[in-house]
C-alpha cells in the first residue's frame, strides 16, 4: 500500500515523479537514439525504393530490342502493318488477294411464323403439337442431331445449333448461330475459317422446318482461305486474316493493294533513355539533399514528456530539424552515387575504333560540380545520333558486359544490396540489416531499463511509505504525551 503525504503533508506523488524523471534520463536517451535510427532506416529505404525504379528502367536499356524500334505505315485500309524489333526498314508492296472466311449460311428469305408474318426470335418454330429434327454435318465428318420441340423458339433453335455436339463423341462441332429479328433470318457459320471448313444441314423431318431454317438457301456452306502477296511473293491457304512476313505483322482488312513503309522509330529509344535520366536525376537530387543538409545537434528527437508540453506545430518544426542531416556525408550513399556516375561517364571498351563510345558523343553530359553529377540531355543531338547512327547508339548501351546499360544495371544492383545490408529491403520478410539489428538491441536495452525503473520506483515508494509510517507513529506518540502531561489541567 502506498501512503501519499498523509503524515508529512508532502506531495509524495510529485516527489516520486520528479525522482523518476531523473532516473528515466538513460531510457529517454535510448528512446531518442532508437528514433534517430528509425528515421535513418526510413531514409535509406526511400533511396532503395528509388533505386528499384531506376533498376527497372536500366533493365530495358541493356536489351538491343529497346533500340531496334521501328514504326510502319500503310498507304491504304486494305492492310494494317505492325513493325517488330526485328523488322527491316524499307518499302513493301502488299496485295490482299482474298480474306479468310468461315463457312457461312444465311436463310435465303425472311422466315415467317405460324401466323404468316415475319418471325421474331421469341416466336415458336412449330405448332404446339409438333416436333421436328434435322442433322448438321461438318468438314470433319462429325454429325449432330438437332431435335426441335413444341416449346422451341427461333432464338432457342439458334442456340441449339450453336451448341451442337457430335452424336457419338460429344465433341463440339464448332458452330455459331443467331436469329436476327430485323431480317427474320438465321445466320449460321463455323467458328474456324479457311477453305477446309464446311457444314451441311440435312435430314429434315419435314419441309416446314427446312423452309423455316434455310428459307430457300442452299443447305451447304464452304469457307475460304486467305491470300496475300508481299513484294511479289504470294502466301496462300491462310486460315486467319493475319500473318507474319519478313518480321512484319500484317492484318488483312479487305481486298486491295497497299504500300507498307517501315522506318526506324527514334522516339521509343529516346523516351527510354530520357526516362532513365530523369529517374537518375531525381535520385541525385535526393541524395545531394541528404548528404549536404545541415545537422542540428541541439534538436534531438523529442521524448514523450517533451511532446506533452508542445503544440502540434511546434512538434512539426522541431522534428524537421531533428531529421535534418541524418545521412550527412554518409559514405554508403556517397559511394553509390559515385559508382553510378562512373557507370554513366566511363568510355565503353570493345567497340570498333571511330564509333561512339561515350555518352557525351550523343548529347548526354554532367552539369557543374554543384549539380551533384546530374545529367543533362541535348535532345537534338541525341535524336540525331539515334537517326543517323542507331546501331552505334545501341552498341554504346548494350555492347557485351561493358555497355552502359549493363554497367548501370550492375551498379544499381550493387547499390540496392548495400542499402539492403544497411537498412533492409522494402517488401522482404527477413531483415538482418545493420540498423534493424541495432534497433533490436536498443529494444532489449529499453526493456531492461523499464524493468529496472519499475524496481527503482517501487523502492522509492517503499522508502516514502516507511517515512510516512514512522512519522505517523511519532505524531501519535506526541499526541499521547500531550494528553498525559496536560490531561489533568
Amino acid at each position: 500500500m502506498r501512503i501519499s503525504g498523509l503524515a508529512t503533508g508532502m506531495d509524495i506523488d510529485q516527489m516520486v515523479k520528479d525522482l523518476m524523471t531523473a532516473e528515466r534520463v538513460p531510457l529517454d536517451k535510448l528512446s531518442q537514439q532508437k528514433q534517430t535510427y528509425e528515421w535513418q532506416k526510413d531514409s535509406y529505404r526511400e533511396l532503395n525504393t528509388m533505386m528499384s525504379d531506376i533498376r527497372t528502367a536500366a533493365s530495358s536499356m541493356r536489351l538491343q530490342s529497346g533500340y531496334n524500334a521501328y514504326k510502319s505505315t500503310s498507304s491504304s485500309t486494305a492492310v494494317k502493318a505492325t513493325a517488330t524489333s526485328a523488322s527491316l526498314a524499307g518499302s513493301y508492296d502488299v496485295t490482299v488477294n482474298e480474306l479468310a472466311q468461315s463457312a457461312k449460311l444465311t436463310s435465303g428469305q425472311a422466315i415467317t411464323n405460324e401466323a404468316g408474318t415475319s418471325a421474331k426470335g421469341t416466336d415458336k418454330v412449330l405448332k404446339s403439337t409438333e416436333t421436328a429434327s434435322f442433322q448438321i454435318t461438318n468438314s470433319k465428318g462429325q454429325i449432330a442431331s438437332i431435335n426441335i420441340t413444341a416449346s422451341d423458339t427461333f432464338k432457342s433453335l439458334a442456340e441449339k445449333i450453336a451448341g451442337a455436339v457430335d452424336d457419338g463423341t460429344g465433341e463440339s462441332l464448332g458452330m455459331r448461330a443467331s436469329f436476327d429479328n430485323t431480317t427474320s433470318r438465321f445466320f449460321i457459320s463455323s467458328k474456324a475459317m479457311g477453305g477446309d471448313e464446311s457444314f451441311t444441314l440435312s435430314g429434315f423431318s419435314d419441309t416446314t422446318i427446312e423452309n423455316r431454317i434455310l428459307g430457300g438457301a442452299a443447305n451447304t456452306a464452304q469457307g475460304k482461305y486467305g491470300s496475300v502477296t508481299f513484294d511479289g511473293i504470294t502466301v496462300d491457304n491462310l486460315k486467319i486474316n493475319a500473318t507474319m512476313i519478313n518480321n512484319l505483322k500484317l492484318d488483312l482488312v479487305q481486298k486491295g493493294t497497299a504500300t507498307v513503309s517501315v522506318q526506324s522509330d527514334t522516339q521509343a529509344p529516346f523516351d527510354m533513355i530520357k526516362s532513365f535520366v530523369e529517374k537518375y536525376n531525381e535520385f541525385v537530387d535526393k541524395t545531394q539533399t541528404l548528404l549536404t543538409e545541415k545537422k542540428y545537434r541541439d534538436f534531438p528527437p523529442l521524448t514523450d514528456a517533451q511532446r506533452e508540453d508542445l503544440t502540434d506545430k511546434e512538434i512539426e518544426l522541431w522534428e524537421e530539424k531533428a531529421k535534418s542531416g541524418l545521412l550527412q556525408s554518409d559514405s554508403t550513399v556517397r559511394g553509390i552515387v559515385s559508382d553510378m556516375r562512373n557507370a554513366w561517364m566511363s568510355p565503353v571498351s570493345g567497340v570498333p575504333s571511330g564509333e561512339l563510345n561515350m555518352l557525351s558523343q550523343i548529347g548526354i553530359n554532367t552539369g557543374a560540380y554543384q549539380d551533384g553529377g546530374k545529367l543533362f540531355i541535348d535532345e537534338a543531338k541525341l535524336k540525331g545520333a539515334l537517326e543517323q547512327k542507331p546501331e552505334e547508339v545501341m552498341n554504346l548501351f548494350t555492347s557485351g558486359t561493358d555497355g552502359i546499360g549493363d554497367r548501370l544495371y550492375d551498379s544499381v544492383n550493387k547499390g540496392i544490396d548495400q542499402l539492403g545490408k544497411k537498412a533492409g529491403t522494402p517488401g522482404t520478410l527477413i531483415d538482418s540489416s545493420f540498423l534493424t539489428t541495432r534497433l533490436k538491441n536498443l529494444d532489449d536495452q529499453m526493456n531492461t531499463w523499464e524493468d529496472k525503473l519499475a524496481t527503482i520506483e517501487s523502492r522509492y515508494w517503499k522508502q516514502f511509505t516507511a517515512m510516512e509510517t514512522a512519522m505517523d507513529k511519532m505524531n501519535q506518540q506526541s499526541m499521547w504525551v500531550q494528553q498525559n502531561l496536560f490531561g489533568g489541567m
Side-chain angles (χ1 to χ4, degrees):
M1 185 179 73
R2 294 178 175 179
I3 301 175
S4 182
L6 295 177
T8 62
M10 295 186 294
D11 188 351
I12 303 301
D13 284 333
Q14 186 61 46
M15 292 176 67
V16 171
K17 183 177 179 180
D18 292 341
L19 287 168
M20 291 307 299
T21 297
E23 295 286 357
R24 287 186 64 87
V25 169
L27 179 60
D28 288 339
K29 287 184 177 180
L30 289 175
S31 178
Q32 289 172 315
Q33 189 175 9
K34 178 183 176 181
Q35 182 63 78
T36 298
Y37 284 152
E38 287 177 342
W39 284 339
Q40 286 181 329
K41 184 175 180 178
D42 290 341
S43 294
Y44 281 125
R45 288 197 163 203
E46 182 182 2
L47 293 179
N48 209 331
T49 299
M50 293 180 73
M51 292 196 73
S52 293
D53 292 339
I54 293 176
R55 177 170 61 184
T56 300
S59 181
S60 300
M61 295 176 64
R62 307 161 58 208
L63 306 176
Q64 292 186 356
S65 58
Y67 304 89
N68 287 336
Y70 294 90
K71 59 183 178 181
S72 60
T73 56
S74 176
S75 64
S76 83
T77 57
V79 62
K80 177 184 175 183
T82 305
T84 67
S85 61
S87 296
L88 297 176
S91 180
Y92 307 95
D93 294 325
V94 179
T95 299
V96 180
N97 307 309
E98 192 70 59
L99 293 176
Q101 295 183 23
S102 59
K104 296 186 293 185
L105 184 156
T106 304
S107 303
Q109 59 186 9
I111 307 301
T112 57
N113 55 25
E114 281 293 314
T117 61
S118 296
K120 301 296 181 184
T122 54
D123 293 339
K124 297 292 180 62
V125 179
L126 303 170
K127 293 180 180 179
S128 59
T129 58
E130 294 180 340
T131 60
S133 64
F134 66 94
Q135 292 180 328
I136 304 174
T137 305
N138 67 8
S139 56
K140 296 179 182 178
Q142 296 171 314
I143 300 174
S145 298
I146 306 297
N147 296 310
I148 308 169
T149 66
S151 62
D152 275 319
T153 63
F154 287 97
K155 179 181 177 182
S156 67
L157 176 55
E159 292 171 349
K160 284 186 175 182
I161 296 172
V165 297
D166 181 69
D167 292 341
T169 65
E171 184 179 349
S172 172
L173 265 66
M175 302 293 293
R176 287 193 175 94
S178 65
F179 186 82
D180 179 60
N181 284 331
T182 302
T183 61
S184 296
R185 283 173 165 82
F186 280 99
F187 289 83
I188 307 171
S189 68
S190 60
K191 289 182 179 179
M193 295 188 293
D196 57 348
E197 293 294 327
S198 66
F199 64 88
T200 300
L201 306 186
S202 62
F204 291 99
S205 59
D206 58 61
T207 57
T208 298
I209 189 61
E210 182 176 2
N211 288 332
R212 288 186 178 171
I213 296 176
L214 297 179
N219 68 331
T220 298
Q222 183 76 41
K224 290 182 179 181
Y225 288 115
S227 173
V228 62
T229 300
F230 183 90
D231 266 3
I233 303 171
T234 298
V235 179
D236 293 319
N237 299 326
L238 296 175
K239 298 191 69 171
I240 58 173
N241 289 311
T243 187
M244 182 77 75
I245 302 177
N246 196 26
N247 297 308
L248 188 64
K249 184 178 182 297
L250 302 176
D251 291 302
L252 313 184
V253 180
Q254 62 189 39
K255 288 184 179 182
T257 301
T259 299
V260 173
S261 298
V262 179
Q263 58 188 21
S264 177
D265 181 10
T266 60
Q267 192 63 43
F270 174 84
D271 289 342
M272 176 181 64
I273 295 171
K274 184 178 179 180
S275 175
F276 186 94
V277 170
E278 289 172 349
K279 291 181 182 296
Y280 173 80
N281 285 343
E282 288 174 7
F283 180 75
V284 171
D285 277 337
K286 183 66 177 179
T287 55
Q288 282 301 108
T289 298
L290 294 174
L291 290 170
T292 60
E293 66 183 357
K294 183 177 179 181
K295 185 173 182 63
Y296 298 92
R297 300 186 183 279
D298 295 332
F299 288 83
L302 293 168
T303 64
D304 292 339
Q306 289 171 331
R307 285 175 173 272
E308 293 176 0
D309 297 329
L310 299 176
T311 65
D312 289 343
K313 185 61 177 179
E314 288 171 334
I315 292 173
E316 180 185 345
L317 293 173
W318 183 285
E319 289 193 343
E320 184 178 328
K321 290 185 178 295
K323 292 179 180 179
S324 179
L326 292 177
L327 298 186
Q328 185 188 74
S329 300
D330 184 89
S331 59
T332 299
V333 176
R334 194 177 294 279
I336 290 171
V337 175
S338 178
D339 286 345
M340 291 179 68
R341 186 183 299 119
N342 289 335
W344 268 115
M345 304 315 299
S346 298
V348 175
S349 60
V351 299
S353 177
E355 291 191 1
L356 300 174
N357 69 343
M358 292 189 68
L359 283 179
S360 58
Q361 295 171 318
I362 62 172
I364 302 177
N365 294 281
T366 56
Y369 174 79
Q370 57 267 29
D371 293 319
K374 289 174 64 175
L375 295 171
F376 296 89
I377 299 178
D378 181 336
E379 295 192 4
K381 189 172 183 178
L382 176 57
K383 287 183 177 180
L386 288 168
E387 290 172 356
Q388 300 164 20
K389 301 179 179 180
E391 291 188 359
E392 291 188 29
V393 175
M394 178 183 70
N395 290 335
L396 181 64
F397 285 93
T398 66
S399 178
T401 57
D402 191 47
I404 292 174
D406 277 309
R407 292 195 320 217
L408 282 169
Y409 188 78
D410 292 342
S411 175
V412 172
N413 268 334
K414 178 182 176 183
I416 289 174
D417 182 62
Q418 289 176 316
L419 292 175
K421 290 179 179 178
K422 195 80 172 181
T425 302
T428 57
L429 297 177
I430 300 176
D431 183 0
S432 57
S433 63
F434 171 78
L435 283 178
T436 298
T437 302
R438 281 283 185 93
L439 288 168
K440 288 179 180 178
N441 290 338
L442 283 174
D443 282 334
D444 292 340
Q445 294 179 53
M446 291 173 69
N447 289 334
T448 300
W449 264 102
E450 290 285 0
D451 294 339
K452 184 177 180 180
L453 289 173
T455 301
I456 293 172
E457 184 176 10
S458 178
R459 189 187 74 220
Y460 279 137
W461 274 107
K462 286 180 180 179
Q463 290 173 341
F464 281 113
T465 298
M467 180 184 72
E468 288 289 328
T469 301
M471 185 61 72
D472 183 59
K473 289 181 179 180
M474 290 179 63
N475 288 339
Q476 291 179 13
Q477 289 175 353
S478 175
M479 290 176 63
W480 182 84
V481 170
Q482 289 179 3
Q483 290 173 355
N484 281 280
L485 289 176
F486 304 107
M489 298 179 62

